[in-house]
Amino acid sequence: MSTLRICVVYPDLLGTYGDGGNGLVLQRRAQWRGIEAQLLLAPSTEALPAAELYLLGGGEDGPQVRAARQLLTEGTLASAVGQGATLLAVCAGMQLVGRSFPGSDGSIHQGLGLLELETVRVDAPRAVGEVVVEVTAPSLAARSLPPLTGFENHGGRSRLSPGVEPVGVVRSGVGNGFGGTEGAVGGRVLATYLHGPVLARNPGLADLLLSWALEDDGLASRVLDDAPIEALRAERLG
Amino acid sequence: MRLVNGTSRLLGRGQGTVAGGRVALGIDPDLVAALSAHRRVVLISGTNGKTTTTKLASAALVASGLAPHLVTNSTGSNMVAGHVAALAERPFDGLAVLECDEAYLARTAAGTGAEVVALLNLSRDQLDRSSEVRKLVSAWRALLEASSIGVVANADDPLVVAAARGARSVRWVAGGLRWRLDAVGCPLCEGRIAFEEAPSVRWRCESCDLERPAPSVEATGGGDALVVVVDGRRLVGSLRLPGAFNRSNAAFAIAICACLGADLEAAMTGIASVEEVAGRFSTVEIEGVPTELLLAKNPAGWGELLSLVTEGTSPVVLSINARIADGLDPSWLYDVDFEQLAGRPVVVTGERRHDLAVRLHYGEVAHQVVAEPAAAVALAASLGDAPVVFIGNYTAFGDLRRLVR
């Protein structure tokens, strides 16, 4: 395959929580294996470029609504995903790939509908803090991913439709806020509430996304020196 | 009060100011109002530069002769406990210059009956606590539109302008804005802010009427030189604190002096006298190693300091904690361009050194990891020429300062 294109979608709207770092992690983990990888930062002022792997990050309520509206109008992301592109959607990104999510005034906004989930307001404090997730999704079982760690910071809670796989179950933290689940996965779309950035803290998940985008199941067998990351994981997993 | 502060210092629990304030609050919840009743109060708020601007404004006001009695929370304790501790100093008249946490500005302004409020800038910081910087804009706006408080505000920051432009009286400062990622979307409508550097510095919203107001206060200079132009009047002096961001802080200090009617020529001599700010920008010895101390709390602050530091070649120690006062989520490390340190000797330390080590790993910046800050400084000293540059975030900086004998 030629160059892998990794696109960080609208960092000007969805770049509040450092999730753009996921792009850097993916680019390096590809490059370190001898795969050419290009990191595209796509501001909302320009048309979304073609890519094999898209990243949506966390953002504030207003910019989230704006990003959803623009992505719906433009249609590039949904059609890329329909043709097999890989998508990681974090926090506000997870909410806006669902069917609907609430704005700051409580009004309901339409999402991209790439995952069958809806985000609602709840009468509960904002979910803020460290999270540990046991990966249980049947479609990820073959990967035997170790527990995920991250940091959540969200007001809304996300209810998955019957049949939609959560990424896993929450060992500590809040996650989706329904049934002790965290995240959602369907096809090559993976959504989560975890910041950190999530791929910096969970190299196994980064390699999973790379293997989807490159259609290369042997990718993870080319082992990298993850010593600094293992030290961080050991500390976070206690 | 003094006894409590002294006890806190003896116990090694900090610099004394916050403990004193908490004890006082247990006695009388209306203390802030009572202690402010006979004072002219200035509040200084914003994401970055609060402590430095408070120090510069205090020095300038004292030098101007306007304030025979001036109290200030010079150590960065910027919530109610720190305010009470500062205001408890006798006599209870004269001036109070108080740094104020962004989220506590409205209630502090009401409590103190402040005469002037200075608004420096707003950007992402401690997202686990304040979650959205735009909520601060709304809170500030509500405060300023409902009061006749005098405002000194940054004309270069769209978030600050959105908050301040409805105020009755505003003195606009060309305060600069290097970090723009939080200001590209208009805080008033769904539009986009377009920034322009040439032929002149300006910005405006493409969809509504929000735009850069014409500033009446501006600072220029290079090296130690400082020139501040206030309402067309040119003041020449010097500034010992490094960087363009500190020139902006000095411009705010002079603008505050102008609001209060102080002698501005004399105020400039006060600015020139400031050598360090609560230990920041000072060079100290850490177990025999000359070490330059810098504090950066968020991506905007780190950007400013790294641009300052990359002019040199000396070893760098980076220290990161993620306690409540720092913000609990260090994801923001990925918003900071640490890549510019590649090739420098770099040692990382602090409670979240592993998060920083992973950030540098992915940034391909060679580094070493050391648990203890003092040992990190010692290792750095062995890797290049002194002084070692130490940059820490809020509590990491405090931890290092406690090692200074």
Side-chain angles (χ1 to χ4, degrees):
Chain A
M1 140 153 218
S2 57
T3 305
L4 171 71
R5 292 165 298 181
I6 302 159
C7 176
V8 178
V9 179
Y10 302 165
D12 51 334
L13 299 177
L14 301 173
T16 310
Y17 293 91
D19 300 313
N22 289 323
L24 175 70
V25 169
L26 291 165
Q27 182 189 32
R28 290 286 186 255
R29 297 187 74 80
Q31 288 172 339
W32 289 340
R33 291 181 169 108
I35 300 159
E36 272 189 53
Q38 196 181 5
L39 185 57
L40 307 166
L41 305 180
S44 63
T45 43
E46 291 163 26
L48 206 61
E52 288 71 39
L53 210 167
Y54 289 93
L55 302 170
L56 289 166
E60 301 188 3
D61 292 344
Q64 176 183 353
V65 170
R66 210 186 129 131
R69 202 173 291 161
Q70 191 162 323
L71 288 169
L72 274 172
T73 311
E74 199 192 57
T76 309
L77 183 61
S79 74
V81 167
Q83 288 161 31
T86 298
L87 171 63
L88 172 69
V90 177
C91 197
M94 162 155 158
Q95 297 181 354
L96 73 79
V97 300
R99 277 201 317 265
S100 67
F101 62 90
S104 55
D105 57 357
S107 57
I108 305 299
H109 297 273
Q110 188 189 346
L112 302 186
L114 299 176
L115 286 174
E116 286 297 307
L117 63 89
E118 62 172 358
T119 300
V120 294
R121 285 184 141 193
V122 289
D123 186 20
R126 200 174 167 85
V128 181
E130 288 284 326
V131 187
V132 176
V133 178
E134 196 81 50
V135 178
T136 58
S139 63
L140 306 179
R143 310 278 175 167
S144 52
L145 287 171
L148 307 178
T149 87
F151 191 95
E152 65 182 332
N153 188 351
H154 55 100
R157 303 293 193 269
S158 297
R159 187 189 291 124
L160 312 189
S161 299
V164 177
E165 291 180 26
V167 170
V169 294
V170 172
R171 221 198 260 165
S172 63
V174 175
N176 295 342
F178 292 97
T181 62
E182 209 299 307
V185 57
R188 288 175 180 168
V189 179
L190 190 143
T192 175
Y193 271 114
L194 304 188
H195 303 292
V198 63
L199 301 185
R201 289 212 198 174
N202 302 285
L205 190 60
D207 289 348
L208 166 73
L209 296 174
L210 283 175
S211 68
W212 283 352
L214 293 160
E215 300 183 337
D216 176 2
D217 283 339
L219 178 111
S221 65
R222 280 171 278 168
V223 175
L224 301 177
D225 170 19
D226 285 339
I229 304 152
E230 289 312 321
L232 173 61
R233 287 181 58 78
E235 177 191 270
R236 292 293 103 200
L237 288 166
Chain B
M1 180 65 63
R2 292 210 179 273
L3 179 65
V4 174
N5 280 346
T7 309
S8 167
R9 274 189 289 268
L10 282 174
L11 290 171
R13 305 292 275 274
Q15 294 180 294
T17 48
V18 174
R22 288 209 186 104
V23 171
L25 274 180
I27 299 165
D28 181 356
D30 294 325
L31 218 43
V32 167
L35 293 170
S36 306
H38 302 290
R39 284 182 161 121
R40 301 176 78 184
V41 176
V42 177
L43 300 178
I44 295 168
S45 198
T47 306
N48 285 311
K50 291 186 289 291
T51 306
T52 301
T53 305
T54 299
K55 176 90 180 249
L56 289 168
S58 299
L61 287 165
V62 168
S64 77
L66 188 74
H69 312 306
L70 183 145
V71 296
T72 180
N73 53 341
S74 56
T75 57
S77 305
N78 63 19
M79 293 194 256
V80 67
H83 295 156
V84 168
L87 293 166
E89 298 267 343
R90 287 173 184 282
F92 300 135
D93 57 7
L95 273 173
V97 181
L98 301 176
E99 155 179 0
C100 185
D101 182 271
E102 304 87 276
Y104 288 84
L105 186 64
R107 74 190 80 161
T108 309
T112 58
E115 181 176 336
V116 175
V117 56
L119 309 175
L120 307 177
N121 50 65
L122 280 175
S123 66
R124 61 188 67 177
D125 188 23
Q126 298 188 45
L127 289 166
D128 56 281
R129 188 167 67 87
S130 62
S131 77
E132 299 200 353
V133 70
R134 278 167 167 71
K135 287 181 183 156
L136 293 172
V137 173
S138 308
W140 283 12
R141 205 171 144 202
L143 161 73
L144 300 175
E145 285 177 359
S147 78
S148 57
I149 197 165
V151 180
V152 174
N154 189 350
D156 290 324
D157 187 336
L159 298 179
V160 168
V161 174
R165 68 172 191 164
R168 216 158 300 172
S169 153
V170 188
R171 198 179 280 267
W172 297 108
V173 178
L177 186 74
R178 183 195 288 265
W179 175 265
R180 289 177 178 166
L181 258 183
D182 294 309
V184 288
C186 178
L188 297 183
C189 72
E190 298 231 330
R192 162 167 309 279
I193 304 288
F195 290 92
E196 237 177 67
E197 298 296 334
S200 59
V201 179
R202 51 178 287 198
W203 56 262
R204 62 177 179 78
C205 175
E206 290 173 349
S207 307
C208 75
D209 67 347
L210 187 70
E211 62 177 343
R212 183 183 192 250
S216 63
V217 183
E218 187 159 12
T220 56
D224 290 348
L226 174 68
V227 177
V228 182
V229 178
V230 185
D231 302 328
R233 182 174 161 205
R234 192 178 146 87
L235 303 160
V236 179
S238 64
L239 178 67
R240 294 196 228 182
L241 307 179
F245 54 98
N246 277 326
R247 274 198 295 277
S248 294
N249 292 334
F252 272 97
I254 291 297
I256 289 164
C257 291
C259 284
L260 294 172
D263 175 345
L264 299 184
E265 297 281 357
M268 289 291 283
T269 65
I271 299 275
S273 72
V274 176
E275 290 180 307
E276 52 88 31
V277 179
R280 308 166 193 183
F281 314 111
S282 64
T283 299
V284 298
E285 293 222 338
I286 304 290
E287 298 184 0
V289 177
T291 308
E292 195 183 334
L293 302 185
L294 298 170
L295 169 70
K297 295 184 282 195
N298 45 50
W302 278 90
E304 297 281 8
L305 287 190
L306 286 177
S307 69
L308 197 67
V309 161
T310 47
E311 291 165 14
T313 57
S314 52
V316 179
V317 175
L318 306 173
S319 185
I320 298 293
N321 289 351
R323 298 182 204 159
I324 288 169
D326 302 304
L328 299 170
D329 176 14
S331 294
W332 57 267
L333 292 170
Y334 290 79
D335 290 331
V336 178
D337 182 20
F338 288 108
E339 279 78 356
Q340 53 188 309
L341 291 174
R344 286 283 276 278
V346 176
V347 181
V348 308
T349 185
E351 291 163 358
R352 299 304 290 268
R353 58 189 177 279
H354 294 304
D355 293 83
L356 181 54
V358 170
R359 168 69 186 92
L360 296 182
H361 175 67
Y362 281 117
E364 299 185 319
V365 178
H367 63 277
Q368 300 189 54
V369 183
V370 177
E372 292 303 319
V377 170
L379 174 63
S382 73
L383 301 174
D385 295 332
V388 167
V389 176
F390 173 95
I391 314 180
N393 66 342
Y394 192 66
T395 67
F397 183 88
D399 288 349
L400 192 83
R401 269 200 90 201
R402 275 189 276 285
L403 299 173
V404 179
R405 300 286 174 228

